Amino acid sequence: MENKLPGKSKTLQIVQIALLIAVTCMVTMTIRIPTLIGYTHLGDSMVFISAILLGKKRGAVAAAFGMCMADILGGYFVWAPFTLIIKGSMAYVAAYIAYRKNYNGNNLWNNIFAFIMAGIWMVVAYYLANAAITRFIYVKVATFQESLIISLVEIPGNIIEVLVGIVLALPLIKGLRNYFDKI
């Protein structure tokens, strides 16, 4: 069953969500590698951690708002609405798969599968968002087909971002989950 924080007060749940929003924003902003029209970062690890620690809905809220805040505070305003939807959905997909059947977010291989599926969603969604932003904001003279071609350059960075996020999240989840379950 998904981690619904049973027996925990609403205040504690809100604090946990707020904490993960803040940490997600901080981790995303700490190491940023600029790309053609965006940046690659370590924040995907926090999307995965939020999904496992908080479950579908709360994890999606933490990931969406933490990443969106990083875009706004980092000067990438144009990306913020896309990030809010894409990263929130990414956490939701990861938690949905991680908590399916009787896995309860505890099975390493199922979590890896969940993170890969969520990562595929993120790469495709950002590719399409990148094409829209390229077409309507950065290269207004480009056709949508040209924008799709230009946006291909961002895909390798997004794939690396997901893979690094998985590698960072997996060892952290066990310790953090034990801590979250104890409080």
Side-chain angles (χ1 to χ4, degrees), residues 63-183:
F65 284 100
M67 290 287 202
C68 185
M69 258 179 25
D71 279 352
I72 292 168
L73 294 173
Y76 291 88
F77 303 103
V78 71
W79 285 100
F82 294 102
T83 295
L84 185 73
I85 293 166
I86 294 168
K87 294 299 184 170
S89 300
M90 182 181 177
Y92 190 90
V93 167
Y96 183 83
I97 295 170
Y99 282 95
R100 68 192 169 108
K101 299 182 182 176
N102 293 325
Y103 288 116
N104 295 325
N106 290 322
N107 184 286
L108 174 67
W109 295 109
N110 188 57
N111 287 352
I112 291 171
F113 175 69
F115 298 164
I116 290 170
M117 292 296 104
I120 290 170
W121 150 254
M122 191 270 305
V123 170
V124 171
Y126 267 117
Y127 169 68
L128 296 173
N130 195 339
I133 288 171
T134 298
R135 166 63 183 93
F136 296 109
I137 296 175
Y138 291 120
V139 188
K140 293 179 182 177
V141 296
T143 66
F144 195 70
Q145 290 174 331
E146 291 168 335
S147 297
L148 287 170
I149 293 169
I150 292 168
S151 297
L152 289 171
V153 74
E154 297 287 332
I155 290 176
N158 284 332
I159 292 171
I160 291 168
E161 183 177 302
V162 168
L163 294 175
V164 169
I166 292 170
V167 169
L168 291 175
L170 289 173
L172 292 173
I173 285 171
K174 185 172 183 175
L176 289 172
R177 190 162 193 182
N178 289 336
Y179 173 74
F180 261 62
D181 288 344
K182 287 179 184 176
I183 58 171

Side-chain angles (χ1 to χ4, degrees), residues 2 9 13 17 19 22 32 50 66-67 99 129 153 156 167-168 183:
E2 180 181 343
S9 72
Q13 292 176 30
I17 293 167
L19 176 65
R32 292 187 306 182
S50 294
M67 290 287 202
Y99 282 95
V153 74
V167 169
L168 291 175
I183 58 171

